[in-house]
């Protein structure tokens, strides 16, 4: 067992990190690998690859993701801001390059090939964007002469414009909604709420009018007419699984789902492991969000409070969108389930976001009262 008396970076990290968060993130990461055995072999065989191709690649991304999460969780708040700023700058540059030189998949340019790797820059943009906006809002609250709200709004417009240009309307909605929630927690004036609400409504109407695929998905969702194969098959898989599922490897409907290893992994879990397993999975996501918001409320530092809230809100909202699509509660949209769905960029980016959360929620002297600080120091000297 590591003693608190030994003054090392690893020791300090172990005794200060929130172990409930750490356990929840590791459970999702390992669970995602286990569940990939159920979701991905049928897809690999369909496109002519060996059955466990995606399972092996999922495992290949898992270990670096865990390492990145732990390394990121050792950063100080200042280190987090610097890391997020660099990551955001690189991500925005790569998003611009993707529009001109990126790989086109299904009419969208979202990926950039770097050597043997195909990277989706927008995945790395999301956590860094939230951290930087949290810092801008916190600076505005600290000093009224700093135009933090204006800079955050300009940054939102830049990010939204790049996402729409790809086009990726789902990520645009996710990012904008998270930004709006963050701005609200920062004390958004009612005039801003009305203005941004109007902009959001106009944006949705514009997307429906300009992008045929968006209009088609919304129309199919409301009327049930047209090509609803994926969502209908996903619903059938969930219904076939019942409460306890068909058993590992016994699912049959999953073989018909083209994206069973990514967007519809939740339906595969329901078919093979049952609704009970889905409820347990959803409860882990809920636990992360509720615990994050609870800890954020007790933070003295406005930046830490806003960054933690924004990151767990992003994490939770992305999870809700993925599960809602699987349950046919909203129009179909390609969005991964954090740590569960296959995708190297997604897994690595979510691991960085998890590392940010772990770093910001660590027990630090500046977040304790004087009495708590004396108790902690006394316990450390006696190795308790």
């Amino acid at each position: 067992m590591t003693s608190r008396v030994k003054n090392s970076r690893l020791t300090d990290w172990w005794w200060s990190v929130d172990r409930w968060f750490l356990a929840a993130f590791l459970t999702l990461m390992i669970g995602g690998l286990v569940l990939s055995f159920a979701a991905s072999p049928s897809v690999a065989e369909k496109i002519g690859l060996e059955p466990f191709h995606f399972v092996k690649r999922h495992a290949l991304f898992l270990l670096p993701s865990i390492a990145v999460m732990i390394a990121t969780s050792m950063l100080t708040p200042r280190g987090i801001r610097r890391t997020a700023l660099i990551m955001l700058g690189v991500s925005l540059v790569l998003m611009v390059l993707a529009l001109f030189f990126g790989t086109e998949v299904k009419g969208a340019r979202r990926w950039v090939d770097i050597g043997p790797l195909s990277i989706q820059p927008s995945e790395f943009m999301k956590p860094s964007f939230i951290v930087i906006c949290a810092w801008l809002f916190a600076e505005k609250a600290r000093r009224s002469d700093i135009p933090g709200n204006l800079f955050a709004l300009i940054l939102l417009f830049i990010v939204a414009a790049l996402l729409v240009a790809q086009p990726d309307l789902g990520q645009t909605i996710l990012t904008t909604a998270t930004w709006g929630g963050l701005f609200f927690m920062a004390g958004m004036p009612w005039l801003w709420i009305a203005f941004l609400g109007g902009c959001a409504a106009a944006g949705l109407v514009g997307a429906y009018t300009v992008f045929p695929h968006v209009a088609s998905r919304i129309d199919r969702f409301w009327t049930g007419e047209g090509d609803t194969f994926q969502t209908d098959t996903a619903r059938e898989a969930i219904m076939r699984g019942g409460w306890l599922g068909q058993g590992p490897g016994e699912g049959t409907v999953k073989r018909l789902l083209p994206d069973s290893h990514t967007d519809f992994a939740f339906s595969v879990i329901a078919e093979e492991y049952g609704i009970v397993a889905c409820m347990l999975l959803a409860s882990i996501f809920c636990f992360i969000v509720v615990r994050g918001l609870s800890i954020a409320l007790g933070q003295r530092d406005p930046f830490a409070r806003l960054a933690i809230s924004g990151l767990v809100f992003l994490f939770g909202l992305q999870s809700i969108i993925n599960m809602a699509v699987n349950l046919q509660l909203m129009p179909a949209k390609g969005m991964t389930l954090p740590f569960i769905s296959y995708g190297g960029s997604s897994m690595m980016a979510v691991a960085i976001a998890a590392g940010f959360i772990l770093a910001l929620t660590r027990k630090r002297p500046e977040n304790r009262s004087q009495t708590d600080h004396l108790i902690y120091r006394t316990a450390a000297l006696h190795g308790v």
Side-chain angles (χ1 to χ4, degrees), residues 11-126:
T11 303
D12 290 342
W13 173 83
W14 175 250
W15 289 112
S16 61
V17 74
D18 189 299
R19 296 177 200 174
W20 286 104
F21 264 139
L22 182 62
F25 289 135
L26 290 176
T27 299
L28 289 176
M29 296 172 93
I30 295 172
L33 177 62
V34 173
L35 294 170
S36 69
F37 282 91
S40 60
S42 58
V43 178
E45 291 176 345
K46 236 181 242 184
I47 58 179
L49 301 173
E50 59 101 5
F52 295 104
H53 172 80
F54 292 113
V55 176
K56 292 176 181 177
R57 289 184 64 84
H58 195 111
L60 184 65
F61 289 121
L62 179 61
L63 292 179
S65 296
I66 293 176
V68 165
M69 180 181 71
I70 293 175
T72 306
S73 69
M74 294 183 179
L75 294 173
T76 63
R78 178 178 293 181
I80 290 172
R81 289 192 293 267
R82 290 176 177 175
T83 302
L85 184 60
I86 294 171
M87 189 164 71
L88 179 62
V90 173
S91 298
L92 293 177
V93 170
L94 290 178
M95 288 173 69
V96 172
L97 293 177
L99 297 176
F100 299 97
F101 309 105
T103 304
E104 184 174 341
V105 179
K106 298 179 181 180
R109 290 185 178 273
R110 305 170 188 169
W111 292 268
V112 175
D113 292 331
I114 301 178
L117 299 176
S118 184
I119 297 174
Q120 188 174 356
S122 59
E123 291 289 347
F124 296 93
M125 174 276 300
K126 291 184 295 185

Side-chain angles (χ1 to χ4, degrees), residues 67-374:
V68 165
M69 180 181 71
I70 293 175
T72 306
S73 69
M74 294 183 179
L75 294 173
T76 63
R78 178 178 293 181
I80 290 172
R81 289 192 293 267
R82 290 176 177 175
T83 302
L85 184 60
I86 294 171
M87 189 164 71
L88 179 62
V90 173
S91 298
L92 293 177
V93 170
L94 290 178
M95 288 173 69
V96 172
L97 293 177
L99 297 176
F100 299 97
F101 309 105
T103 304
E104 184 174 341
V105 179
K106 298 179 181 180
R109 290 185 178 273
R110 305 170 188 169
W111 292 268
V112 175
D113 292 331
I114 301 178
L117 299 176
S118 184
I119 297 174
Q120 188 174 356
S122 59
E123 291 289 347
F124 296 93
M125 174 276 300
K126 291 184 295 185
S128 57
F129 169 74
I130 295 303
V131 169
I132 296 303
C133 286
W135 174 63
L136 290 171
F137 290 142
E139 286 300 300
K140 172 62 177 179
R142 188 175 65 87
R143 289 182 54 185
S144 59
D145 59 317
I146 296 179
N149 292 358
L150 178 61
F151 287 157
L153 183 61
I154 293 172
L155 188 57
L156 172 67
F157 285 150
I158 294 172
V159 166
L162 289 173
L163 288 172
V164 170
Q166 291 183 348
D168 192 341
L169 275 299
Q171 297 283 20
T172 306
I173 293 172
L174 173 63
T175 305
T176 304
T178 305
W179 185 93
L182 189 62
F183 196 6
F184 180 80
M185 288 181 281
M188 178 195 300
W190 284 105
L191 184 61
W192 278 89
I193 293 176
F195 170 71
L196 294 175
C199 289
L204 290 174
V205 173
Y208 182 86
T209 305
V210 174
F211 297 102
H213 70 283
V214 174
S216 175
R217 288 180 179 180
I218 294 175
D219 290 342
R220 289 199 302 266
F221 174 75
W222 286 114
T223 64
E225 300 175 356
D227 184 10
T228 59
F229 174 75
Q230 286 223 83
T231 53
D232 289 342
T233 306
R235 182 180 61 180
E236 184 181 350
I238 294 172
M239 295 176 65
R240 184 73 63 87
W243 286 101
L244 300 176
Q246 299 292 313
E250 298 300 320
T252 55
V253 180
K254 69 175 185 181
R255 301 179 186 279
L256 304 175
L257 274 171
D259 298 320
S260 62
H261 63 318
T262 53
D263 303 342
F264 293 94
F266 188 77
S267 297
V268 177
I269 296 169
E271 184 181 15
E272 299 208 345
Y273 298 94
I275 296 175
V276 172
C278 290
M279 292 173 65
L280 289 173
L281 179 63
S283 68
I284 296 176
F285 288 115
C286 182
F287 168 79
I288 290 172
V289 175
V290 172
R291 185 168 181 80
L293 293 176
S294 176
I295 293 176
L297 285 173
Q299 294 289 319
R300 293 182 177 181
D301 180 13
F303 164 70
R305 182 169 61 250
L306 290 172
I308 295 169
S309 300
L311 288 168
V312 296
F313 187 72
L314 175 70
F315 189 86
L317 186 58
Q318 181 170 333
S319 306
I320 289 172
I321 292 174
N322 178 276
M323 290 185 281
V325 169
N326 278 257
L327 295 168
Q328 282 193 326
L329 296 177
M330 64 182 299
K333 175 65 198 82
M335 193 167 293
T336 58
L337 188 59
F339 287 136
I340 302 298
S341 299
Y342 170 80
S345 293
S346 174
M347 184 184 296
M348 191 68 70
V350 176
I352 293 172
F356 285 160
I357 294 171
L358 288 169
L360 291 167
T361 56
R362 284 173 58 189
K363 301 179 183 69
R364 289 188 173 88
E366 59 268 26
N367 292 330
R368 303 187 191 97
S369 65
Q370 291 184 355
T371 303
D372 292 339
H373 182 59
L374 289 173

